[in-house]
Amino acid sequence: METKLDILRRYFGYTSFRRGQEEIVDALLTGRDALCVMPTGAGKSVCYQVPALLLPGITLVISPLISLMKDQVESLTQAGVHAAYLNSSLTPAQYSRALHNLSEGLYKLVYVAPERLLTPEFLYAVQSMEISMISVDEAHCISQWGQDFRPSYLKITEFVEQLPARPVIGAFTATATKEVRDDIEALLSLRDPVR
């Protein structure tokens, strides 16, 4: 069985974790929620991508950034990981195909815009799947104290409540004041998260 270091080496080309990464990876792998505040470029994505490749089901990565989704999916695909994104940049036919592939279990990681979560098509597609983890990128967007507040982020908890089983949740952001961190924890209903 592959270890977290095997995954880190094989898919990402690193021989060791950076400061803070392993603690978050371990928490998520053991089913504990996490709130991770790391500067841009510190490797937040590795903190959810490594567990995503070790956990049994799929991981949903909720992100507001279309360009980031494209870049990450492209990098993962080049590394041999089955990943996709669902956002407004797709044509209706492409979106439909991606949803079909999702429901067929063809992906390990699926990046999705928060506005898509509660759409009937998306909810229907994920009802019968094993979702092991939800990773909320740019998690500060849930807070009205944050500069990038996105009302659609407030619907994430409603989405989670509609799933057959609650997956582990990781929240990731580059900057967050104490008020924003408290908001993230409360509004995402994180359970005793590793911070």
Side-chain angles (χ1 to χ4, degrees):
M1 193 171 131
E2 282 190 302
T3 67
K4 61 191 174 189
L5 280 171
D6 294 333
I7 295 289
L8 188 69
R9 215 172 284 122
R10 180 171 155 202
Y11 294 104
F12 306 102
Y14 301 115
T15 54
S16 62
F17 287 101
R18 291 184 191 169
R19 187 172 163 264
Q21 287 179 324
E22 194 167 13
E23 185 182 357
I24 299 296
V25 168
D26 288 343
L28 295 169
L29 283 173
T30 57
R32 187 161 173 205
D33 289 350
L35 172 54
C36 176
V37 181
M38 283 185 183
T40 301
K44 288 183 292 297
S45 58
V46 163
C47 295
Y48 57 80
Q49 290 170 341
V50 169
L53 296 175
L54 288 165
L55 292 168
I58 68 156
T59 290
L60 296 179
V61 181
I62 300 168
S63 173
L65 305 172
I66 288 174
S67 60
L68 177 98
M69 288 188 205
K70 286 181 177 177
D71 290 348
Q72 297 226 347
V73 168
E74 197 172 283
S75 295
L76 287 165
T77 303
Q78 286 174 354
V81 175
H82 297 285
Y85 56 83
L86 298 167
N87 59 42
S88 60
S89 73
L90 300 177
T91 66
Q94 289 170 325
Y95 187 80
S96 182
R97 163 66 56 195
L99 269 186
H100 173 76
N101 290 345
L102 170 65
S103 61
E104 292 290 312
L106 298 181
Y107 304 126
K108 275 306 278 175
L109 285 111
V110 175
Y111 289 74
V112 60
E115 293 81 8
R116 300 275 168 174
L117 293 175
L118 292 174
T119 62
E121 308 87 12
F122 187 75
L123 279 172
Y124 180 78
V126 299
Q127 282 305 311
S128 60
M129 332 190 73
E130 181 182 6
I131 299 173
S132 297
M133 180 171 60
I134 292 178
S135 172
V136 182
D137 203 17
E138 307 294 329
H140 62 276
C141 292
I142 201 167
S143 175
Q144 294 189 43
W145 299 103
Q147 77 249 23
D148 300 321
F149 175 62
R150 298 266 297 239
S152 55
Y153 265 65
L154 295 173
K155 303 281 188 185
I156 294 171
T157 303
E158 186 181 336
F159 168 73
V160 171
E161 287 167 356
Q162 294 190 44
L163 296 174
R166 183 193 186 273
V168 66
I169 299 174
F172 298 86
T173 185
T175 55
T177 62
K178 183 185 184 317
E179 291 82 9
V180 172
R181 288 193 306 270
D182 291 346
D183 256 7
I184 292 168
E185 191 173 329
L187 295 170
L188 287 176
S189 301
L190 299 182
R191 297 176 183 170
D192 184 32
V194 167
R195 280 178 167 237

